[in-house]
Amino acid sequence: ASHVVRLSDPTTMTSPALDPVLSPTANVRRSCRMLMSDPPVDTRNYLDEPSGLSADAASSVGNLTATRPRRSVGIYNSSVNKLAANIAEQILDEASSPSSESIEWDAEGWHYTAEHYTRSRAYLEAQRFSSEYIEAQQMERKLLYILALDAINFCFWPADVEDESGRKGCTRNLLEYEHLASALRLMAEKDDEVGAMPNANAEGGGVSSSSASDADYVQAEHTYAFSPKNLADLTSSSLSSMIHEFLPEDSASCDGRYHIPNVSERARLLNELGRGLLEHHDGSATRLLQKSIGPNGKPSAVKLVDIITSTFRGFRDEAVDARGRQVCFYKRAQIAVGDIWAAFGRGKMQVKGADLTNFYDIDELTTFADYRVPQLLRHVGVLRYSTELTAKVDSSSEIPASSMDELYIRAGTVVAVDRLVEAVKTKLQEANPNTSKLNEVHAVLMDWHLWQAGEKLDREGTLKPHHRVRTIFY
């Protein structure tokens, strides 16, 4: 019998509403604002604008105890407002132009879209699959690609590379995000074509019915590089050999090759992704996504972040600071949700899967606190570092993971982008009280705008160094 694929059934596939106290994104904002309320290291450094520092806070700086951290990062509100004015002007200038939709998920062609995936009619008939199988597989494969990419999307700054004799010495590695994204895309495309279709009797793949509800879900074919089973079985050596052929050569690098830093941790995180999907989500990324649908029948971005961080430990981007305070960022979990939202049309395109990815609360995500955005914010004067932290960053010295300096940089980035979002909205309303653009100004799109601006300036050699932390979280 032919399988009927229903990628979502809101009447039967819903999850309880998430208690606000348990919201991962609310906890990111809460903990980052808490850190940024610490007094600055020294008012004479003008880490904050004089008007932004209360008299009580100023007088308390000299009386701090050893248990009270002194904040090494400040936010200049005048620079926030200046940047907001510039961004608001760009939005207004582009309002009647097609370029107003300029921030696209795959504008550069780095990512896997599954649009070329196909199987012959003979294969579908042999497997007794319906014609909807192709669309269901395309969605599942794209979701798995995004989850795999964001599971290992961290720490691309140059690191020592061992040569064949085990000696270290190569310290210049030119790997960037686009090289990893493109390499994984090429891995994903290997069995897209009909000529690479699985044997009709091959195990794996198909549309299944779940005992938990009436909604159907799809599992990727086992010939797909990022099927949960293949991810679960990866080793560091197999990952290295699989991805190596798809990384570009570059004569400017120290040995003419690109390298994947910390490959053992990346393999472990992909193992965790595969096993988590198999054990908790019926071996299906589509199934995981279905669980984000709330009582209102609509998918929730915040709920999906919660599901990802609950299922996969490697996405739990948290730390405990010097005072024993828990600080949350969830950078890779949030960017995975943002990527899913963008890859399926940002709720504006009629594409398969849009009903599961048109998150009603996408604006509740925070900026993705990593390297490039704070680097850009510092460049435009929004973030200001203490004298000591400035010396560390500008000399490309490594900053310990979970140190107060690192936490302040990331917390400052989250708080600054939230202020920037609100400032842009205010300026848009001042320019046009009836503007329809307010709902399109939120931390996700702001992050992508700032990241792209930072990438351009970095390629031009304009930016000072970014901070360097050896971590799996970003």
Side-chain angles (χ1 to χ4, degrees), residues 5 12 30 39 143 184 213 229 236 244 264 467:
V5 184
T12 60
R30 175 197 57 77
L143 288 171
L184 296 191
S213 76
K229 184 179 185 302
S236 57
H244 181 74
S264 60
H467 71 285

Side-chain angles (χ1 to χ4, degrees), residues 156-368:
F156 295 113
W157 57 272
D160 284 343
V161 177
E162 292 185 2
D163 62 20
E164 294 180 356
S165 66
R167 294 174 300 183
K168 290 186 177 181
C170 174
T171 58
R172 188 177 179 213
N173 180 23
L174 302 181
L175 184 78
E176 295 285 354
Y177 168 80
E178 60 263 33
H179 304 129
L180 180 66
S182 297
L184 296 191
R185 171 180 58 81
L186 293 170
M187 290 171 63
E189 290 174 347
K190 286 190 71 172
D191 75 327
D192 265 1
E193 299 299 324
V194 174
M197 73 176 185
N199 183 285
N201 297 317
E203 178 188 2
V207 181
S208 306
S209 294
S210 167
S211 60
S213 76
D214 294 331
D216 293 334
Y217 60 92
V218 66
Q219 294 173 328
E221 298 156 344
H222 288 176
T223 54
Y224 183 49
F226 305 121
S227 73
K229 184 179 185 302
N230 287 337
L231 293 175
D233 292 341
L234 270 179
T235 65
S236 57
S237 59
S238 64
L239 175 61
S240 293
S241 61
M242 287 170 61
I243 201 171
H244 181 74
E245 64 176 298
F246 299 115
L247 291 174
E249 295 182 359
D250 195 315
S251 58
S253 67
C254 59
D255 62 355
R257 298 183 300 172
Y258 286 79
H259 295 270
I260 300 291
N262 207 354
V263 69
S264 60
E265 275 296 282
R266 286 182 158 88
R268 181 187 67 80
L269 292 168
L270 291 174
N271 291 161
E272 180 183 86
L273 174 61
R275 290 168 187 167
L277 287 169
L278 290 168
E279 293 184 16
H280 299 290
H281 303 290
D282 301 302
S284 169
T286 305
R287 184 71 165 154
L288 178 150
L289 186 58
Q290 288 172 332
K291 295 177 181 179
S292 72
I293 298 175
N296 61 359
K298 299 178 181 179
S300 165
V302 174
K303 179 64 177 178
L304 187 54
V305 171
D306 184 61
I307 292 169
I308 291 172
T309 54
S310 297
T311 304
F312 313 109
R313 292 179 178 84
F315 281 93
R316 297 177 193 171
D317 180 4
E318 302 171 342
V320 176
D321 80 350
R323 290 186 65 196
R325 301 174 295 184
Q326 185 180 24
V327 187
C328 310
F329 299 103
Y330 306 129
K331 184 263 184 179
R332 289 194 289 104
Q334 291 196 79
I335 204 171
V337 176
D339 283 346
I340 290 170
W341 174 70
F344 289 90
R346 289 168 35 182
K348 296 183 179 182
M349 296 169 55
Q350 296 301 313
V351 297
K352 194 67 175 179
D355 54 341
L356 279 178
T357 60
N358 185 14
F359 304 113
Y360 70 89
D361 55 353
I362 190 68
D363 60 335
E364 292 187 29
L365 299 190
T366 74
T367 194
F368 315 131

Side-chain angles (χ1 to χ4, degrees), residues 120-129:
S120 70
R121 177 176 296 180
Y123 172 73
L124 296 178
E125 291 176 351
Q127 296 288 68
R128 302 173 72 186
F129 291 150

